[in-house]
Structures are given as structure tokens and as C-alpha cells.
Amino acid sequence: MLISPPLSLYIHIPWCVQKCPYCDFNSHALKADIDEQAYIRHLLADLDADIARFNIDRPLYSIFIGGGTPSLFSSAAIKQLLDEVFKRFKPDPDPEFQVEVTLEANPGTVEAEKFNGFYQAGVNRISIGVQSFASDKLIKLGRIHDSEQAVRAAQIAQDCGINSFNLDLMHGLEQQSIEGALDDLKQAIALKPKHLSWYQLTIEPNTSFYSKPPTLPEDDVLWDIQEQGFKLLASAGYKQYEISAFSTGEEYQCQHNLNYWQNGDYLGIGCGAHGKISIPTENQIYRTVKVKHPKGYMDDEREHLDQIHTVPDAERPFEFMMNRLRLFKPFSLDDFEAATGLSRETVIDPLQTAKNKKLVTENNGYWQVSHFGHRYLNDLLSLFL
């Protein structure tokens, strides 16, 4: 039986100083000053429409302000936005519960100096897009900061009172050696973030790198980087709880992303934002996509919603597994039924096949992807198509 899961909110701010060649997110290079007030007005109208559309009457579990580069906004604008958002949701019944509010930030010095203002505005977690500490790699990645600015941003985040900050770091960069990738990781660890996102650069369609691909390390080198990096992180006290996410304790895990991966619900507002809402009384799961381009999204004559559709029963097993198998935490078939509204019989056969192939393990009714399964995750997921 489909059960209403925790509700998160994703807010997309699409502008960047410049578009990075590897980025396939909906981001747009700045060509003029941002009209913060106009965009906030449209974000709130977008949110109000979703609340009415799905008859939302439950508290928020988490908020994630992503982009683009949300830290281009002033702290006053972020405070105004968050204040208005919280007015629209009932408080959590647990008075001790604190909604996790994450904001993505560029390590550039000017934006890093805003961190205290963001904290005062209600942000309690910052995710800093470092990507690398090597100057030559940052240039090739199209980043506008240098390694000194990245270090300074982490120090400011640590000093301003924010509960937790994350460093985003890539590996498998152009002509990157194992030593170079591990040096990046060591520098990140030295900054003592409570959370690290460490993931391999992939070449995505509709990016500059796709049309002019860089020379990336061979697969064997990539695998060695990953294996040695995992050992380095573990020895430094970081526990891997998802394919590319590591924290120094459960309390520092990204609750917003956990809600995604555990098939929770989320409203998505802003240019090109995606949302997913479960309606147990209808046994339906809805997905939404908002108008992608800022000009269209901020057109007062146009609706913010671009697409809405229901997730067919046939697609629900794959969607569940695509998210849940990212986690290093077992799941039960009760979890599957609650998230999909489908019978457990739907996935018993493919799960057994995956077990026979040693892609997953099963212990007392709890299923978990194996180390081997993580390496061949696409093969594992294909069993649920």
C-alpha cells in the first residue's frame, strides 16, 4: 500500500557567472543583474500552485536551494524566500525537529563572505562546489575560483556557526593520475568537513565536454582511484552511506538527498525544477517539471508548470531501485510496497536473480546492494526494467 513519505522542497536558482563545460544542469550564464524580487515572486507563486494542486497539508522535512549558483543571491533575498516558504507549511509535530536547509555555493571569495548572512537567514547546511584543488584542473573544468578561495570558503563555513558543510569534489579528471586524485581528497579531508561528496566526472550530452571530450583516465586507473580513495576516506573517519556521499556521523548525512534516495516526496520550484508527489488515496505518484528558461518561467502570462504526469505501475520498480540501491543501507519489501503501492511479488524474481549473480545480498528479509553490485550497478538496475 502506498504511504505518504516525508516531504522535501527543492528550489532552483538557475544563474551562474559562467557555464562549466561538464555541467548538464539547467543553468544560465549571467548577462545582467538578477532581479531577485521578481524571481522570488515567481518562486512563491509556483509553490502556491503546487500546494493547491496536490492539496499539501504536511510539514517540510528538508529544503535544498540548488542551481546554478544560489550563492549569487543576497542573504537578504534568501531570508525573505525562506521566511515566506515556512509560512506555507505546518510545523513538524516534534518541536525539537529542525528542517535541514542546504544552499549550494561557489567558493569565490565574494560569495564565501556571504556565508554568515546565509546562516542568519536560516541556512544550516552549505554545499561548496570545490571540484578540485589543482589550479590546472580547475581551469579545464571552467571553474572561476582557485584553490586558495576554496580553502577560505571552507574555513568561513566552519567558523560562521553552520551545523554542517559539504565539499563537492570530482575525480577522474582529464589526465589525472591516482596521486593527483588522492592529493585532492587529502586536501579536502584536511579542511575537516563533516560531509564529502566525491564522485567521478562523467561526460553528459548537451555539454561542451560532450562535443569536445577531454582525455580521461583509463577504466583501470579510475577503479584504482576509487578503491584507494575509499580506503583513504575510511581511515580519516568518513563513512560511505551512498555511492558518492561520505560523512563523519549519521547526523551529518544529507537528509534532503536521503529523502530522494529513499523515494520520499519533493516539490520542485524554479526554472526546470522536477518534483515528485505521492497521493495514497489515489495510489498515484505524480511527477512535475517546471518551465526551463528564466524568460519563460518569469513570464506573467505563462504558467510555471511545464509538464505533469503519473508514474505508471510498470516504471515504479525501476524508479525505486534506481534510488534505493544507491544507499549502503538495506531495505525491506515493506519499504518497496510503501514507496510504490505495488505488491512485493513484483520484484521477488529480479531480486532473486540479482542475488544469484551476487549483485545483492539478503539477510532476514533485508536486501542490500553488494560491493560487486555497486561496480555493476547498471547491470543490476536493468533487471528491474
Side-chain angles (χ1 to χ4, degrees):
M1 178 180 176
L2 189 64
I3 294 175
S4 184
L7 176 68
S8 294
L9 173 65
Y10 175 75
I11 303 172
H12 192 74
I13 296 179
W15 294 281
C16 288
V17 174
Q18 65 183 31
K19 182 82 171 179
C20 296
Y22 59 85
C23 178
D24 68 336
F25 294 131
N26 183 32
S27 59
H28 303 267
L30 272 176
K31 296 180 180 178
D33 290 341
I34 300 171
D35 189 340
E36 294 179 340
Q37 290 302 307
Y39 194 64
I40 288 173
R41 176 169 59 84
H42 281 278
L43 285 172
L44 295 174
D46 187 1
L47 178 58
D48 288 337
D50 269 355
I51 290 172
R53 180 179 293 115
F54 298 114
N55 194 26
I56 299 295
D57 184 31
R58 43 182 163 143
L60 272 181
Y61 179 71
S62 65
I63 300 173
F64 195 103
I65 307 174
T69 308
S71 55
L72 288 172
F73 266 44
S74 67
S75 55
I78 296 298
K79 175 173 172 45
Q80 176 189 353
L81 175 60
L82 290 175
D83 286 348
E84 289 296 326
V85 164
F86 280 114
K87 288 178 184 177
R88 288 160 165 79
F89 294 91
K90 62 166 59 175
D92 193 275
D94 179 0
E96 299 298 317
F97 178 78
Q98 182 182 44
V99 176
E100 178 191 82
V101 182
T102 301
L103 182 137
E104 288 186 330
N106 187 294
T109 302
V110 174
E111 288 153 31
E113 297 294 345
K114 296 180 181 177
F115 286 2
N116 187 61
F118 292 140
Y119 172 61
Q120 298 298 326
V123 173
N124 51 37
R125 183 176 184 274
I126 283 184
S127 182
I128 306 172
V130 173
Q131 313 312 354
S132 176
F133 290 96
S135 297
D136 61 323
K137 298 294 187 282
L138 288 170
I139 291 170
K140 290 180 179 179
L141 289 172
R143 304 298 289 170
I144 63 170
H145 68 273
D146 58 32
S147 59
E148 290 183 5
Q149 289 173 319
V151 170
R152 177 66 179 147
Q155 291 170 339
I156 293 172
Q158 195 162 48
D159 294 342
C160 76
I162 283 175
N163 294 355
S164 174
F165 71 94
N166 167 66
L167 295 184
D168 242 17
L169 202 65
M170 287 183 178
H171 62 84
L173 307 180
E174 182 174 7
Q175 298 181 338
Q176 187 178 49
S177 65
I178 296 174
E179 293 75 21
L182 295 181
D183 281 346
D184 265 353
L185 199 51
K186 289 173 185 176
Q187 290 188 64
I189 291 169
L191 293 169
K192 299 181 179 179
K194 302 297 186 184
H195 191 283
L196 270 167
S197 297
W198 190 60
Y199 52 93
Q200 182 181 321
L201 169 65
T202 55
I203 307 302
E204 302 290 351
N206 302 315
T207 65
S208 295
F209 274 178
Y210 188 77
S211 56
K212 295 180 180 179
T215 303
L216 302 184
E218 298 291 333
D219 286 347
D220 287 347
V221 174
L222 292 171
W223 186 250
D224 285 342
I225 288 173
Q226 184 170 288
E227 290 289 282
Q228 293 187 40
F230 288 166
K231 292 177 182 177
L232 178 61
L233 285 160
S235 67
Y238 289 88
K239 183 176 180 181
Q240 185 176 21
Y241 68 97
E242 187 265 346
I243 288 176
S244 59
F246 307 78
S247 72
T248 57
E250 284 191 19
E251 68 272 31
Y252 299 117
Q253 294 176 358
C254 180
Q255 298 305 306
H256 186 86
N257 285 345
L258 278 173
N259 197 35
Y260 283 162
W261 299 323
Q262 293 177 139
N263 292 274
D265 280 352
Y266 51 95
L267 296 171
I269 63 173
C271 299
H274 290 239
K276 174 247 175 184
I277 295 293
S278 307
I279 310 293
T281 55
E282 302 175 6
N283 199 37
Q284 295 288 0
I285 300 172
Y286 291 91
R287 291 201 171 272
T288 60
V289 183
K290 302 303 170 60
V291 174
K292 186 174 183 179
H293 197 278
K295 184 177 180 180
Y297 183 82
M298 297 173 71
D299 182 349
D300 289 329
E301 302 299 318
R302 185 172 179 178
E303 187 179 7
H304 299 107
L305 181 68
D306 186 46
Q307 301 173 37
I308 182 169
H309 71 274
T310 57
V311 180
D313 288 358
E315 294 179 9
R316 295 185 191 183
F318 178 79
E319 286 205 359
F320 176 89
M321 296 297 174
M322 181 176 62
N323 289 314
R324 198 59 187 259
L325 291 177
R326 293 181 63 93
L327 291 175
F328 283 67
K329 179 182 179 181
F331 68 91
S332 69
L333 294 179
D334 287 342
D335 296 329
F336 172 80
E337 291 184 339
T340 65
L342 303 176
S343 165
R344 63 190 62 205
E345 301 301 322
T346 311
V347 289
I348 286 293
D349 287 346
L351 278 173
Q352 191 59 52
T353 299
K355 182 179 178 181
N356 293 340
K357 293 183 176 183
K358 303 188 185 306
L359 296 170
V360 299
T361 61
E362 186 266 333
N363 183 28
N364 293 325
Y366 282 87
W367 299 80
Q368 186 172 8
V369 63
S370 66
H371 180 70
F372 183 68
H374 273 298
R375 185 168 187 178
Y376 296 99
L377 190 59
N378 288 339
D379 293 333
L380 172 56
L381 290 174
S382 69
L383 297 174
F384 300 94
L385 287 171

